[in-house]
Amino acid sequence: SGENLSFDIDVMGVVKAGTLTLAVQQPMLGSTLVPLRARVKNTSVFAKVRKVTGLAMSWVTLKTLKPDRYREEAIEDGVHKATDSQISTYAKRPAVVIESQLGESKKTDVYDRKGELLDLVSSLYYLRAVDLKPGQPICFDLVGNRRLWRITGTVAAKPERVESQAGIFDTIRIDGVATRADLAKSSRVIHIWISTDARRLP
């Protein structure tokens, strides 16, 4: 607890598009849960195209780093978007319930769960904590952006050195694909680099 990370978000490594901050807050409920917070905001330049501010909270169990509850809220060009899911309630059940809001419209979606259940914020901290092996396959379900996603990926065969404005890091790279549980044709490619030092920085 007490860790605070701050990132610049850029487009193609050229234009700064916004900022992302991650924070581990103080444990609660008898030190059994730890709140994880993520905030995102775009720059004034990109706000002319789409103005975005967002907050996501994940409450993870201290012993396992697996989420108990996940909630995210964002304002995009004045439109309120929200996601709420009591993840621990569904962790041992075959279904996941996600309550969401888009503007004035609210709905509840029920998805079939097929793997370990994480969320957009807790998954990053979980991957930082586990012992990743070269070539290791990765698979889990993820709650985020008002939907459930299937995440499949592989740990790269070799470490990779990354140079950035924050410095030079030896890293482990994870290559993956996120596919919507309700729309298999909709998928996104993901690459995550995690430093190999004690801090395991994303």
Side-chain angles (χ1 to χ4, degrees), residues 32 53 68 76 92 103 121 164 177 179 182 186:
T32 58
T53 58
D68 182 77
E76 295 187 21
K92 296 182 179 180
V121 178
S164 71
V177 176
T179 304
D182 61 337
S186 179

mmCIF file of all heavy atoms in Angstrom, residues 32 53 68 76 92 103 121 164 177 179 182 186:
data_model
loop_
_atom_site.group_PDB
_atom_site.id
_atom_site.type_symbol
_atom_site.label_atom_id
_atom_site.label_comp_id
_atom_site.label_asym_id
_atom_site.label_seq_id
_atom_site.Cartn_x
_atom_site.Cartn_y
_atom_site.Cartn_z
ATOM 1 N N THR A 32 -8.319 -6.993 5.173
ATOM 2 C CA THR A 32 -8.589 -8.123 4.276
ATOM 3 C C THR A 32 -8.711 -7.677 2.826
ATOM 4 O O THR A 32 -8.485 -8.474 1.910
ATOM 5 C CB THR A 32 -9.889 -8.842 4.676
ATOM 6 O OG1 THR A 32 -10.976 -7.897 4.641
ATOM 7 C CG2 THR A 32 -9.766 -9.425 6.080
ATOM 8 N N THR A 53 -12.494 11.663 -19.045
ATOM 9 C CA THR A 53 -11.946 11.503 -17.701
ATOM 10 C C THR A 53 -12.544 10.227 -17.136
ATOM 11 O O THR A 53 -13.715 9.920 -17.376
ATOM 12 C CB THR A 53 -12.300 12.684 -16.775
ATOM 13 O OG1 THR A 53 -13.730 12.825 -16.699
ATOM 14 C CG2 THR A 53 -11.695 13.981 -17.281
ATOM 15 N N ASP A 68 -12.627 -8.469 -5.337
ATOM 16 C CA ASP A 68 -13.888 -8.696 -4.651
ATOM 17 C C ASP A 68 -15.009 -7.934 -5.361
ATOM 18 O O ASP A 68 -16.105 -8.449 -5.546
ATOM 19 C CB ASP A 68 -13.779 -8.233 -3.191
ATOM 20 C CG ASP A 68 -15.043 -8.472 -2.398
ATOM 21 O OD1 ASP A 68 -15.276 -9.634 -2.011
ATOM 22 O OD2 ASP A 68 -15.806 -7.501 -2.193
ATOM 23 N N GLU A 76 -17.306 10.765 -21.127
ATOM 24 C CA GLU A 76 -16.784 10.936 -22.478
ATOM 25 C C GLU A 76 -17.674 11.906 -23.232
ATOM 26 O O GLU A 76 -18.832 11.601 -23.511
ATOM 27 C CB GLU A 76 -16.725 9.591 -23.208
ATOM 28 C CG GLU A 76 -15.740 8.609 -22.599
ATOM 29 C CD GLU A 76 -15.586 7.365 -23.452
ATOM 30 O OE1 GLU A 76 -15.911 7.434 -24.659
ATOM 31 O OE2 GLU A 76 -15.135 6.337 -22.924
ATOM 32 N N LYS A 92 -16.973 -18.355 -8.177
ATOM 33 C CA LYS A 92 -17.118 -19.817 -8.156
ATOM 34 C C LYS A 92 -18.421 -20.260 -8.829
ATOM 35 O O LYS A 92 -18.863 -21.382 -8.661
ATOM 36 C CB LYS A 92 -17.065 -20.317 -6.720
ATOM 37 C CG LYS A 92 -15.718 -20.067 -6.044
ATOM 38 C CD LYS A 92 -15.692 -20.613 -4.637
ATOM 39 C CE LYS A 92 -14.341 -20.370 -3.985
ATOM 40 N NZ LYS A 92 -14.289 -20.906 -2.594
ATOM 41 N N GLY A 103 -25.073 6.865 -20.392
ATOM 42 C CA GLY A 103 -25.980 7.997 -20.342
ATOM 43 C C GLY A 103 -27.076 7.731 -19.324
ATOM 44 O O GLY A 103 -26.815 7.359 -18.186
ATOM 45 N N VAL A 121 -8.289 -3.360 -13.648
ATOM 46 C CA VAL A 121 -7.231 -2.840 -12.775
ATOM 47 C C VAL A 121 -6.505 -3.963 -12.038
ATOM 48 O O VAL A 121 -5.277 -4.035 -12.042
ATOM 49 C CB VAL A 121 -7.812 -1.828 -11.765
ATOM 50 C CG1 VAL A 121 -6.722 -1.317 -10.823
ATOM 51 C CG2 VAL A 121 -8.462 -0.656 -12.494
ATOM 52 N N SER A 164 12.603 4.021 -22.498
ATOM 53 C CA SER A 164 11.529 5.011 -22.449
ATOM 54 C C SER A 164 12.036 6.252 -21.750
ATOM 55 O O SER A 164 13.166 6.287 -21.252
ATOM 56 C CB SER A 164 10.315 4.444 -21.702
ATOM 57 O OG SER A 164 10.607 4.327 -20.319
ATOM 58 N N VAL A 177 -4.573 -11.344 -26.582
ATOM 59 C CA VAL A 177 -5.741 -10.893 -27.330
ATOM 60 C C VAL A 177 -6.931 -10.846 -26.368
ATOM 61 O O VAL A 177 -7.155 -11.794 -25.607
ATOM 62 C CB VAL A 177 -6.065 -11.827 -28.514
ATOM 63 C CG1 VAL A 177 -7.341 -11.374 -29.217
ATOM 64 C CG2 VAL A 177 -4.912 -11.875 -29.497
ATOM 65 N N THR A 179 -10.958 -10.664 -26.321
ATOM 66 C CA THR A 179 -12.114 -10.901 -27.178
ATOM 67 C C THR A 179 -13.390 -10.736 -26.366
ATOM 68 O O THR A 179 -13.492 -11.274 -25.252
ATOM 69 C CB THR A 179 -12.076 -12.317 -27.779
ATOM 70 O OG1 THR A 179 -10.846 -12.503 -28.476
ATOM 71 C CG2 THR A 179 -13.239 -12.535 -28.740
ATOM 72 N N ASP A 182 -19.429 -11.555 -25.644
ATOM 73 C CA ASP A 182 -20.720 -11.550 -26.339
ATOM 74 C C ASP A 182 -20.583 -11.293 -27.835
ATOM 75 O O ASP A 182 -21.586 -11.266 -28.552
ATOM 76 C CB ASP A 182 -21.631 -10.488 -25.726
ATOM 77 C CG ASP A 182 -21.050 -9.088 -25.840
ATOM 78 O OD1 ASP A 182 -19.808 -8.964 -25.974
ATOM 79 O OD2 ASP A 182 -21.814 -8.113 -25.808
ATOM 80 N N SER A 186 -15.228 -9.230 -32.217
ATOM 81 C CA SER A 186 -14.633 -8.005 -31.694
ATOM 82 C C SER A 186 -13.485 -8.358 -30.756
ATOM 83 O O SER A 186 -13.692 -8.926 -29.682
ATOM 84 C CB SER A 186 -15.684 -7.175 -30.946
ATOM 85 O OG SER A 186 -15.116 -6.000 -30.409
#
